[in-house]
Amino acid sequence: MTRQKVKMAFIENESSRKATYKKRKRGILKKANELATLCGVPVGVIIDSPYDLTPEVWPSREDMDNVLSQLQRLPVMDRTKKMLNQESYLKQSISKASETCKKLTKENKELEMKEVMFDCLSGKTSPSRIEKNDLGACGNVIEQYLRNLNRRIEILSKNDGASSSSVHVVASTSVAMPIVELGSSSTAFCDMIRQQQIQSNMNQNVGSLDLNQQQW
Amino acid sequence: MTRQKVKMAFIENESSRKATYKKRKRGILKKANELATLCGVPVGVIIDSPYDLTPEVWPSREDMDNVLSQLQRLPVMDRTKKMLNQESYLKQSISKASETCKKLTKENKELEMKEVMFDCLSGKTSPSRIEKNDLGACGNVIEQYLRNLNRRIEILSKNDGASSSSVHVVASTSVAMPIVELGSSSTAFCDMIRQQQIQSNMNQNVGSLDLNQQQW
DNA sequence: ATGTCTATTTTTAGTCA
DNA sequence: ATGACTAAAAATAGACA
């Protein structure tokens, strides 16, 4: 009896895949129905399966089309005043969201830069291929990296004084060039950076940002 | 502690309905994702909720795949296993951040569209100034807004049957008319928006469902 | 309202008839 | 295969912070 947690990957076995498909299809359709019922919301599900002759569609499109075709007249002006009151809040929200988004974009860019750095270190890519616009950012990332690395080395060397002097690494703005040299030579350096990378990533929280959405 | 089996009926309480909606929406999308993954089958889910400004559509794999493929087409070199693990972790982080960022961008766009709508309603701006690319999105926002308005009014009129007939409001394409206050060109405007909306929706549906086709 | 926590319900993977 | 069964895993209603 092996009732274990299943890994989320394509099921190779034909028959069990089909069995799973049928069970889960029923599950989803039930869930969709429940959501629609409980919350009074039009929900549509389309499953274009090879097991069913025609793509499974739930439910009637009537609901959706209904909503869409409800197009007549509406006196909006009396609502306008209320709506306008929201403007200031809207602007606030927009700028807030913009800022958050900008932050994320920046973090994202940094991650990409790290990737590039690794490629350079391993000789997979030469710095000449880095986009010109990205060079500055890449340098920043690497500098920060080296700073962290140094800090870490200092901590380590406190525990082992003998090797401390020989391992120091110096951050520099002209990082782009040293990368090449490092890439061809120092495996130890790569290992060190990898370690540091792991530590750094552990501390990073990328996806925790959220928007407070409003309701009228 | 009342954790009891819930009755399958429309949840009257506003806040708990919304809470349930959010939980279950996430549940369904997850389930859909799992079905698609496990069985290699195209699955589409559309939730036209009053809680989200634009209908929730799954999947939007294009973007995810974009990010992943960009990174994955990097040549695989001789790297230690640690390095590879590290890289995959990086990719994960990047795609996660991208996803979050994309979501934020979308929300941000919606907020901007709301702003535009308000500007139109107050006559501060004419629709002719709206960016052509934004027309579709603007139409989406306006329609969704009207839908929400309508639902709200329906609910209200249920509670007050006597005045229901007088308070009843019908959503319409000609909303644009009050919005625009430009007279003759208003109809053209709203038609344009509607066309774009429809077109956009169609493209969205088709695009998202075309993915992952397999032959049997 | 937003997130976290659990008791309970619901779904489901694997097995067998 | 198809349906029933069941233990394990997952979802979630309600409470609370």
Side-chain angles (χ1 to χ4, degrees):
Chain A
M1 311 206 183
T2 46
R3 292 181 193 93
Q4 50 189 339
K5 187 165 76 172
V6 71
K7 42 194 161 75
M8 270 305 299
F10 181 76
I11 299 173
E12 298 295 343
N13 182 282
E14 183 85 19
S15 57
S16 59
R17 185 169 71 247
K18 181 171 181 180
T20 293
Y21 169 78
K22 295 188 82 171
K23 286 183 179 181
R24 279 176 175 268
K25 187 185 78 177
R26 180 162 46 191
I28 283 192
L29 293 184
K30 185 181 177 188
K31 288 280 184 194
N33 186 20
E34 288 179 353
L35 175 59
T37 303
L38 290 171
C39 303
V41 161
V43 177
V45 176
I46 302 178
I47 305 177
D48 182 18
S49 88
Y51 308 111
D52 299 307
L53 294 164
T54 63
E56 197 78 27
V57 177
W58 185 92
S60 54
R61 284 221 179 235
E62 301 161 7
D63 286 340
M64 303 247 232
D65 293 341
N66 223 347
V67 180
L68 288 178
S69 62
Q70 269 185 358
L71 306 171
Q72 317 261 323
R73 285 219 260 129
L74 172 63
V76 191
M77 293 315 286
D78 45 335
R79 295 272 169 177
T80 301
K81 206 177 170 189
K82 261 187 196 168
M83 291 178 179
L84 288 178
N85 289 340
Q86 305 289 342
E87 267 199 5
S88 61
Y89 183 82
L90 267 184
K91 281 173 183 165
Q92 230 178 348
S93 299
I94 290 176
S95 63
K96 193 175 173 183
S98 290
E99 200 169 333
T100 308
C101 191
K102 212 166 149 190
K103 233 180 197 170
L104 274 178
T105 304
K106 185 186 156 202
E107 286 193 54
N108 203 17
K109 196 73 181 179
E110 285 180 4
L111 286 173
E112 287 178 8
M113 289 301 105
K114 277 188 192 170
E115 180 97 7
V116 169
M117 182 173 72
F118 279 125
D119 286 349
C120 289
L121 286 170
S122 66
K124 198 197 297 183
T125 298
S126 88
S128 59
R129 295 220 201 117
I130 301 176
E131 293 287 332
K132 201 174 182 186
N133 289 342
D134 291 345
L135 271 177
C138 191
N140 284 333
V141 170
I142 293 176
E143 276 192 33
Q144 186 61 41
Y145 227 75
L146 293 178
R147 270 196 290 272
N148 294 344
L149 203 57
N150 270 335
R151 212 183 54 206
R152 190 154 192 81
I153 290 171
E154 270 185 32
I155 292 173
L156 286 177
S157 55
K158 276 185 181 174
N159 299 337
D160 182 12
S163 60
S164 65
S165 56
S166 59
V167 195
H168 259 296
V169 178
V170 182
S172 104
T173 32
S174 56
V175 233
M177 286 314 291
I179 289 177
V180 188
E181 305 164 10
L182 289 170
S184 55
S185 58
S186 170
T187 5
F189 184 76
C190 286
D191 285 336
M192 254 177 356
I193 286 200
R194 275 178 228 142
Q195 290 302 322
Q196 175 65 28
Q197 171 78 43
I198 290 169
Q199 286 300 323
S200 167
N201 277 332
M202 293 302 184
N203 299 335
Q204 232 167 12
N205 257 344
V206 183
S208 60
L209 296 163
D210 203 358
L211 261 197
N212 39 352
Q213 52 187 30
Q214 54 182 5
Q215 204 64 46
W216 298 344
Chain B
M1 312 222 179
T2 46
R3 291 180 194 92
Q4 48 190 339
K5 189 165 75 171
V6 71
K7 35 191 164 70
M8 270 304 300
F10 181 77
I11 300 173
E12 297 294 341
N13 182 284
E14 182 84 17
S15 57
S16 58
R17 185 168 69 248
K18 181 172 181 179
T20 292
Y21 169 78
K22 293 185 84 172
K23 286 183 180 182
R24 280 175 174 267
K25 187 184 80 177
R26 185 160 59 192
I28 283 191
L29 292 184
K30 185 181 177 189
K31 288 281 183 192
N33 187 20
E34 288 178 351
L35 176 60
T37 302
L38 290 171
C39 302
V41 161
V43 177
V45 176
I46 303 177
I47 304 177
D48 181 21
S49 87
Y51 306 111
D52 299 306
L53 202 50
T54 62
E56 195 79 30
V57 176
W58 188 90
S60 59
R61 292 182 63 159
E62 311 136 356
D63 314 278
M64 265 286 270
D65 287 353
N66 226 338
V67 178
L68 288 179
S69 69
Q70 270 185 358
L71 291 175
Q72 262 161 0
R73 72 181 162 78
L74 292 174
V76 182
M77 291 288 283
D78 50 336
R79 291 192 171 191
T80 64
K81 202 174 179 189
K82 256 187 195 170
M83 191 65 176
L84 287 176
N85 288 339
Q86 189 50 40
E87 204 175 66
S88 67
Y89 183 89
L90 268 184
K91 285 174 189 170
Q92 230 179 347
S93 299
I94 291 176
S95 63
K96 193 174 172 185
S98 290
E99 184 77 5
T100 308
C101 190
K102 196 196 101 201
K103 244 181 200 159
L104 279 177
T105 304
K106 182 187 158 201
E107 289 194 51
N108 203 17
K109 195 72 182 178
E110 289 179 3
L111 287 174
E112 286 178 8
M113 288 302 104
K114 272 192 197 169
E115 177 107 16
V116 169
M117 181 174 74
F118 284 132
D119 285 349
C120 288
L121 284 169
S122 65
K124 200 190 294 181
T125 298
S126 89
S128 59
R129 299 221 196 112
I130 302 176
E131 293 287 332
K132 197 175 181 195
N133 287 342
D134 292 344
L135 273 177
C138 190
N140 278 331
V141 171
I142 292 176
E143 283 202 17
Q144 184 63 40
Y145 191 85
L146 292 178
R147 254 172 274 165
N148 295 347
L149 207 57
N150 237 7
R151 286 203 185 126
R152 206 162 182 76
I153 289 168
E154 268 185 34
I155 291 172
L156 286 177
S157 53
K158 271 187 184 174
N159 296 339
D160 185 8
S163 60
S164 66
S165 56
S166 58
V167 187
H168 188 70
V169 176
V170 184
S172 88
T173 19
S174 55
V175 219
M177 182 135 57
I179 291 177
V180 188
E181 293 191 86
L182 288 181
S184 56
S185 62
S186 60
T187 320
F189 168 75
C190 76
D191 282 346
M192 198 157 53
I193 286 192
R194 257 215 300 169
Q195 285 305 320
Q196 293 218 9
Q197 155 97 37
I198 291 169
Q199 199 64 30
S200 159
N201 282 339
M202 282 182 151
N203 289 339
Q204 246 184 345
N205 290 339
V206 170
S208 58
L209 289 176
D210 264 347
L211 298 170
N212 246 1
Q213 286 285 3
Q214 345 180 306
Q215 57 280 42
W216 298 84

